[in-house]
Amino acid sequence: MNIPVLSLLVAGVLPVCSTAVAKWGFSQFDNHNPREWLSRQTGFRARANAAQHNAFEAFPFFAAAVVLGLVLQIDAAVLDRYCLIFVAARVLYLIAYVADIASFRTLCWLLGYASCIAIYLQLLIR
């Protein structure tokens, strides 16, 4: 299995999952103007929407690290490990954000970000 590519796929789909949570079970969703509707939401819907934005923000930094790791051929086991850490951290981040567990959410964000930094450091020391 190609863990880095699968990780990119999962990380790329996570923002859509966040949006689905924000819209889930709400019959008055306005599909003609979804961004305005989402901006007026509160509670878990607002947090899911915020998680969506953060997932989109985190993705490019992760994607660039993974692509560089593949192209420059850092140790596959190391790359796999950091990719799995990133994806797990981001999934837990989404759950923590929606559930409003702020401290755990911050820890998950930090872990995901650190895994990206670790990939870049591996690229620098090779």
Side-chain angles (χ1 to χ4, degrees):
M1 177 185 308
N2 193 330
I3 290 174
V5 174
L6 180 60
S7 296
L8 286 171
L9 176 62
V10 172
V13 171
L14 273 176
V16 177
C17 296
S18 300
T19 301
V21 170
K23 297 175 184 177
W24 176 70
F26 198 78
S27 60
Q28 296 180 16
F29 171 70
D30 181 6
N31 201 37
H32 294 283
N33 199 348
R35 291 181 186 224
E36 181 182 329
W37 180 86
L38 282 167
S39 72
R40 292 190 315 263
Q41 298 312 299
T42 59
F44 83 90
R45 293 181 197 289
R47 290 190 302 273
N49 187 42
Q52 170 204 15
H53 292 289
N54 189 271
F56 275 127
E57 293 163 359
F59 183 74
F61 191 57
F62 174 65
V66 172
V67 170
L68 284 169
L70 290 169
V71 169
L72 298 176
Q73 299 178 351
I74 64 171
D75 183 274
V78 171
L79 184 59
D80 288 355
R81 179 181 333 117
Y82 291 129
C83 286
L84 290 172
I85 290 169
F86 179 85
V87 168
R90 293 306 302 185
V91 168
L92 290 172
Y93 175 89
L94 169 59
I95 293 166
Y97 214 146
V98 171
D100 199 18
I101 308 169
S103 296
F104 183 64
R105 180 189 84 218
T106 300
L107 180 63
C108 292
W109 180 90
L110 185 59
L111 185 59
Y113 195 72
S115 67
C116 292
I117 296 291
I119 294 171
Y120 284 106
L121 290 175
Q122 289 295 314
L123 289 162
L124 288 171
I125 64 172
R126 66 182 297 279

